[in-house]
Amino acid sequence: MDLTPAPGGVPQPPPPGAYRVPARYGYPETPVETTTRLRPVPSGRQRWRAASAAACVVLGLGLIGGAATGAWLTGDSSAEPTRTPYATGRTVWHSVPVDTLFPPTLKGTGAGPGGTNRTWIRLSVAPDSDCSQGLDPLLRTTLRSVGCERMVRATYTDVTRSSVTTVGVVVTEADEAGMQALSTRFTEQRLAGRKDLMPRTYAPEGTLAAGFGDRQRASWTVRPLTEIPAVVFAVSGFADARTVPEPQPADAATETGADTDIAQAGLGHEAKGIADRVERGLRKTVTDLVEPPA
């Protein structure tokens, strides 16, 4: 995704792709032709011409009928292919504005500890890339079964500027069966809670998240989707770039009664809340493209 910075420093993607409407060429109208006075035509020649004209009419009707029958049986080959969530979801990373995938501001009503409201502000959006930049080798290996079409990421901070969170979307090459198999594997093997499968951070220079590296990762979530070919992930940490010796999965850090420093700081809620909203936005965008409002 070519995210060209726009005024204000917020990168913007290229305009959405669209089918080009072919130019329609017409032929210039010509003046009405003038002829000499019509002369009588011998009757035999006239009958021959009438028969030829009739044959042409029959032939023309046959061709038209054949074309119509073919179109009825096979459909219009020039018609736009049927949109599906998987076909659309695989291209959405470069066909919609970056602000649609990663809004400048995310509202988290009830998303904080104890049901408190949260608001997150986008710090920067990373250029689209392959998965080698955002996923550790073991996580890339885990996702190998579905392939990596492209990856897009952004980093947010909360309004108090006490936390930073990288959220991302891996667009996969898999079909519905492949994504369902991956989701089942994550559930049955509890892969989302493994520390060695944490996603990497995106630490844009010159921002509050500049010191947000691997050792600053505190809480995370990784979730394969099944309705569209995508894996959504998020990883959070303290904004002061402190090292976190024992990261905690977002599901554990958001449980009632969780009393770790990570849970008390709400970092599990940060990762989960931001991932939730990016996932919802992605689903809505794909649905609107597949089934546009009447």
Side-chain angles (χ1 to χ4, degrees):
M1 177 169 58
D2 184 13
L3 303 175
T4 304
V10 178
Q12 295 292 329
Y19 291 104
R20 292 184 178 274
V21 180
R24 299 186 180 278
Y25 298 96
Y27 295 93
E29 296 182 355
T30 56
V32 177
E33 296 180 352
T34 57
T35 63
T36 58
R37 179 177 298 178
L38 297 178
R39 292 174 294 179
V41 179
S43 58
R45 183 178 178 184
Q46 189 171 5
R47 286 194 299 272
W48 176 82
R49 285 187 175 180
S52 297
C56 288
V57 170
V58 172
L59 179 60
L61 290 175
L63 291 174
I64 293 172
T69 302
W72 179 67
L73 292 174
T74 64
D76 184 2
S77 61
S78 64
E80 183 179 345
T82 302
R83 292 180 175 180
T84 66
Y86 269 74
T88 301
R90 195 164 287 117
T91 61
V92 73
W93 64 270
H94 64 75
S95 63
V96 301
V98 67
D99 286 353
T100 300
L101 293 178
F102 303 118
T105 301
L106 291 172
K107 297 291 185 180
T109 304
T116 56
N117 296 334
R118 308 292 282 174
T119 300
W120 299 285
I121 301 168
R122 191 181 69 197
L123 294 175
S124 183
V125 178
D128 63 276
S129 65
D130 58 30
C131 286
S132 64
Q133 297 185 34
L135 305 179
D136 283 337
L138 188 56
L139 182 52
R140 291 203 309 271
T141 300
T142 303
L143 300 182
R144 183 178 297 166
S145 63
V146 294
C148 176
E149 176 79 19
R150 212 63 182 157
M151 182 180 66
V152 289
R153 297 179 294 165
T155 294
Y156 288 80
T157 184
D158 67 307
V159 292
T160 67
R161 299 172 65 86
S162 61
S163 68
V164 287
T165 302
T166 293
V167 61
V169 177
V170 173
V171 180
T172 77
E173 302 168 349
D175 56 13
E176 186 173 359
M179 292 305 300
Q180 184 61 60
L182 180 66
S183 178
T184 299
R185 183 183 175 197
F186 259 73
T187 300
E188 293 180 347
Q189 299 181 16
R190 303 179 183 273
L191 299 183
R194 285 181 49 167
K195 297 176 184 178
D196 53 358
L197 295 181
M198 270 194 296
R200 287 177 176 167
T201 66
Y202 166 54
E205 295 182 2
T207 71
L208 185 68
F212 187 29
D214 287 350
R215 298 180 63 192
Q216 284 71 40
R217 293 179 292 184
S219 192
W220 76 97
T221 181
V222 180
R223 50 185 72 168
L225 309 184
T226 55
E227 296 85 353
I228 52 180
V231 177
V232 175
F233 65 84
V235 56
S236 63
F238 294 99
D240 60 7
R242 75 183 73 172
T243 299
V244 179
E246 285 295 328
Q248 186 176 27
D251 286 345
T254 55
E255 289 182 351
T256 302
D259 59 359
T260 63
D261 291 344
I262 293 171
Q264 293 293 322
L267 293 179
H269 289 83
E270 303 293 289
K272 184 176 184 299
I274 291 177
D276 283 347
R277 278 140 191 85
V278 169
E279 178 184 331
R280 292 174 195 170
L282 179 62
R283 291 179 187 274
K284 183 179 185 303
T285 297
V286 172
T287 298
D288 289 346
L289 290 173
V290 173
E291 303 173 0

